[in-house]
Amino acid sequence: DSYLRSVINFDFNTRISELLLEKSVKMDLQQFEEPENYDKLQRSLQEGVSSAYETFIGAVDSFRNGLQLVSVAGVLVAWNPVLALAVIASPAPVILATVRYGERVFSLEQERTQDRRRSYYYRYLCANDSSYKELRMFGLHNHVRSLFSTFVRRFKAQDEFLARRQA
């Protein structure tokens, strides 16, 4: 099962990445430089690949669990129809809460796309040998590191707030 999932994951991620790159090379320079298009492309490349596989696996697992639920409900209907109805309805609150949480996470990630890109840039500046030398020479390394830390702390606070609300 683990081997099969890793092979499917690799194939799935590779194909999604190829499709995204095909789409990106067809964009003209003006489209590529528009912040909204660039943000969508970056989100797709950074999160879309793994998210697509996780969504696929989640759908397969949900289908399997749904079949199990219907099987158990079928047995219960013969025994006690009211109990069968209760078993079928019991996952509804969890499903609704999960969907609502997913919407909040998606919205938050979409809102902070530009800030996340800035934080990646600051991290790159501090960790890349050529830019690091310039930052040190002009005494900007602590300032850039501080900018990165500000974004990371804000992301952490937002994620913790969402996690507390989910719990």
Side-chain angles (χ1 to χ4, degrees):
D1 186 50
S2 175
Y3 172 75
L4 183 59
R5 280 188 183 230
S6 66
V7 169
I8 292 171
N9 185 17
F10 179 79
D11 289 344
F12 204 84
N13 289 346
T14 301
R15 184 63 187 138
I16 296 290
S17 293
E18 288 171 346
L19 290 171
L20 288 170
L21 292 177
E22 284 175 24
K23 185 74 171 173
S24 72
V25 297
K26 290 179 182 177
M27 295 171 66
D28 61 32
L29 185 58
Q30 183 180 358
Q31 286 177 311
F32 194 81
E33 289 180 338
E34 289 178 17
E36 184 177 324
N37 291 335
Y38 187 77
D39 288 348
K40 286 179 184 177
L41 179 62
Q42 291 305 308
R43 270 196 308 269
S44 298
L45 289 171
Q46 291 169 3
E47 299 169 11
V49 174
S50 61
S51 296
Y53 175 72
E54 291 169 9
T55 301
F56 171 73
I57 291 299
V60 169
D61 289 343
S62 294
F63 180 74
R64 184 183 65 223
N65 292 339
L67 282 176
Q68 289 174 344
L69 181 65
V70 169
S71 299
V72 169
V75 170
L76 288 176
V77 164
W79 182 55
N80 186 340
V82 174
L83 185 59
L85 184 62
V87 167
I88 290 174
S90 66
V94 174
I95 291 169
L96 291 174
T98 302
V99 167
R100 179 175 259 159
Y101 177 74
E103 289 172 345
R104 288 181 183 142
V105 169
F106 177 78
S107 176
L108 178 63
E109 286 300 323
Q110 200 163 16
E111 289 171 10
R112 65 183 181 190
T113 298
Q114 289 184 359
D115 287 343
R116 187 168 302 281
R117 195 169 64 232
R118 282 188 193 103
S119 74
Y120 291 155
Y121 178 66
Y122 295 144
R123 183 178 63 188
Y124 169 80
L125 287 176
C126 289
N128 183 283
D129 61 342
S130 61
S131 57
Y132 182 80
K133 292 172 190 174
E134 291 178 11
L135 291 176
R136 293 291 289 191
M137 187 169 62
F138 293 110
L140 296 171
H141 57 288
N142 285 327
H143 176 68
V144 173
R145 184 193 51 78
S146 174
L147 291 172
F148 171 77
S149 295
T150 300
F151 281 115
V152 171
R153 282 193 300 275
R154 186 177 339 131
F155 297 156
K156 183 176 187 265
Q158 291 169 337
D159 291 346
E160 286 174 351
F161 176 75
L162 270 180
R164 277 193 304 274
R165 295 211 43 198
Q166 176 66 12

